[in-house]
Amino acid sequence: MNMDSMLQVRNLKKYFPIKGSLFGAGPSYVHALENVDLDLYKGETLGVVGESGSGKSTLGRTIIQLEQPTAGKVLFEGKDVSALKGEELKRFRTNIQMVFQDPYASLNPRLSVGYAIAEPMIAHKRFASKAETKEATEELMKKVGLQPSMASQYPHNFSGGQRQRIGIARALSLNPKVLICDEAVSALDVSVQSQILNLFNALKRELGLTYIFIAHDLSVVRYISDRILVLYLGTVMEIAPKSRLFEKHYHPYTESLISASPEPSTAKRKGRIILSGEIPSPINPPKGCKFHTRCFKCMERCKVEEPGLREIETGHFVRCHLYDEKGRN
Ligand code: SF4
């Protein structure tokens, strides 16, 4: 990994309006993302972890401009992509592609998998002839571990792992620089998960790809990531290199996540931390620190004052009043 930031997210907010507020009250919004800042470095895998409802998928979709940001910017290779439209937006999207949890849902059951993989290349007129498109499709199938002879078969003939390989081949068909993988192995059996994770690693080496890897499962994120971003109620709570996070995490939410995972770590050795209650509604998020309603270290100040994201060691950022002064209290 080199330290060139190829993608920057700055103060990114995404609110979804809710239609038909009860009793004629003013408009309500789902606060999916709140002032998210992140850098993605060329060649790295940035893991994004958080519970369901933390805004992980919205973050991926807003970066790729499938959702328009409510406020803030996404810069790719120095260019603000939030304002792109038409052809420019189409060109930008060739650089960043998404791999989804359920490739079956995005595959047309009436089209052969060869066509499903070739479709983006045809739509973007990547090759002048059918023969070149066919050759590129077969190459992609080989790269992801599928037999080119299967190109004429239909999605229902494939297993879950094979369908995910089809989804990955399709995502690679426009030669992207970045893949955003959104729960890309969550629906698979554990043994198949590891095959697909190994495939992602091999493709990264072979093609020089950069990944944002979104998952609720910390062990999956730990396996594949170079750095990890912890998201809670649309807010970045901690970002650190993976090796550091598992030995020296600071945020109480990260501590609870790691203590509950089956992975060896400092928090794990201290015993499991069970958080009280559910993640609050993003329609009416708590004031002050977003985590204060469940935090076992909550102070009076946390209920009224939102902490900022502070760099407490090089490359290690934490949002918590316990660390308002640089270094650990
Ligand atoms: Fe807990 Fe307060 Fe830190 Fe929030 S700011 S995580 S409530 S100690």
Side-chain angles (χ1 to χ4, degrees):
M1 175 176 88
N2 74 36
M3 292 309 280
D4 292 340
S5 168
M6 64 193 310
L7 183 128
Q8 293 112 31
V9 171
R10 295 289 178 260
N11 294 317
L12 192 68
K13 267 190 200 180
K14 180 63 191 175
Y15 293 174
F16 294 101
I18 300 171
K19 290 194 188 115
S21 300
L22 274 183
F23 311 119
S28 297
Y29 296 90
V30 172
H31 297 224
L33 296 174
E34 292 279 15
N35 299 322
V36 171
D37 284 315
L38 68 87
D39 283 273
L40 181 68
Y41 299 107
K42 194 167 183 322
E44 77 165 334
T45 299
L46 174 68
V48 177
V49 71
E51 291 163 280
S52 152
S54 61
K56 307 183 296 295
S57 294
T58 305
L59 177 60
R61 294 175 63 82
T62 311
I63 287 174
I64 205 171
Q65 305 294 299
L66 287 174
E67 302 287 353
Q68 272 291 306
T70 304
K73 282 184 180 171
V74 176
L75 298 140
F76 180 71
E77 295 181 333
K79 192 169 183 181
D80 183 1
V81 298
S82 327
L84 297 182
K85 297 217 167 27
E87 277 305 306
E88 273 197 313
L89 179 60
K90 207 170 152 188
R91 259 201 309 280
F92 157 70
R93 287 220 184 104
T94 63
N95 288 308
I96 308 187
Q97 292 284 304
M98 269 186 106
V99 178
F100 298 97
Q101 176 176 356
D102 181 7
Y104 198 55
S106 57
L107 293 173
N108 185 332
R110 286 186 290 275
L111 294 179
S112 68
V113 299
Y115 189 82
I117 295 168
E119 197 178 30
M121 297 190 277
I122 296 165
H124 284 258
K125 301 187 175 66
R126 192 167 163 213
F127 296 105
S129 70
K130 276 187 186 170
E132 285 173 292
T133 307
K134 186 167 179 277
E135 196 182 324
T137 304
E138 289 175 354
E139 269 310 304
L140 281 166
M141 291 184 77
K142 281 191 235 162
K143 265 196 177 66
V144 300
L146 292 168
Q147 296 288 340
S149 58
M150 298 164 120
S152 58
Q153 295 186 30
Y154 291 86
H156 69 265
N157 296 123
F158 292 82
S159 67
Q162 285 176 319
R163 283 178 201 153
Q164 194 52 289
R165 289 176 194 269
I166 297 164
I168 295 166
R170 190 178 149 94
L172 292 176
S173 64
L174 297 175
N175 214 7
K177 296 176 180 171
V178 177
L179 280 192
I180 300 181
C181 307
D182 186 6
E183 299 282 9
V185 298
S186 308
L188 304 173
D189 293 342
V190 175
S191 61
V192 184
Q193 275 190 358
S194 55
Q195 290 166 16
I196 299 293
L197 290 172
N198 290 338
L199 173 63
F200 278 125
N201 275 335
L203 291 170
K204 181 178 160 179
R205 282 193 299 275
E206 189 186 340
L207 304 175
L209 290 166
T210 302
Y211 293 133
I212 296 180
F213 204 93
I214 296 168
H216 69 278
D217 184 339
L218 196 57
S219 32
V220 165
V221 168
R222 182 180 195 178
Y223 181 77
I224 199 154
S225 307
D226 299 302
R227 288 190 306 139
I228 296 179
L229 181 156
V230 179
L231 204 61
Y232 183 82
L233 269 186
T235 304
V236 177
M237 293 299 177
E238 188 157 6
I239 312 179
K242 169 179 71 178
S243 51
R244 179 140 351 134
L245 194 82
F246 276 84
E247 277 312 309
K248 217 174 167 193
H249 38 271
Y250 292 104
H251 200 283
Y253 180 56
T254 313
E255 204 174 328
S256 71
L257 282 183
I258 292 179
S259 80
S261 85
E263 306 292 320
S265 68
T266 311
K268 188 84 189 144
R269 289 195 287 274
K270 287 186 197 161
R272 183 166 182 181
I273 298 161
I274 313 267
L275 294 178
S276 58
E278 297 293 318
I279 188 165
S281 164
I283 299 171
N284 192 15
K287 300 243 174 332
C289 172
K290 298 266 186 317
F291 185 57
H292 88 255
T293 55
R294 300 170 82 197
C295 182
F296 48 93
K297 292 183 178 169
C298 179
M299 306 171 285
E300 277 312 303
R301 171 185 184 198
C302 307
K303 298 176 187 170
V304 288
E305 199 184 321
E306 179 158 28
L309 191 65
R310 291 184 175 79
E311 188 171 24
I312 58 169
E313 288 171 20
T314 308
H316 194 153
F317 296 82
V318 181
R319 186 187 297 279
C320 175
H321 286 310
L322 291 169
Y323 311 104
D324 277 353
E325 302 304 320
K326 190 169 165 30
R328 191 159 197 171
N329 287 352

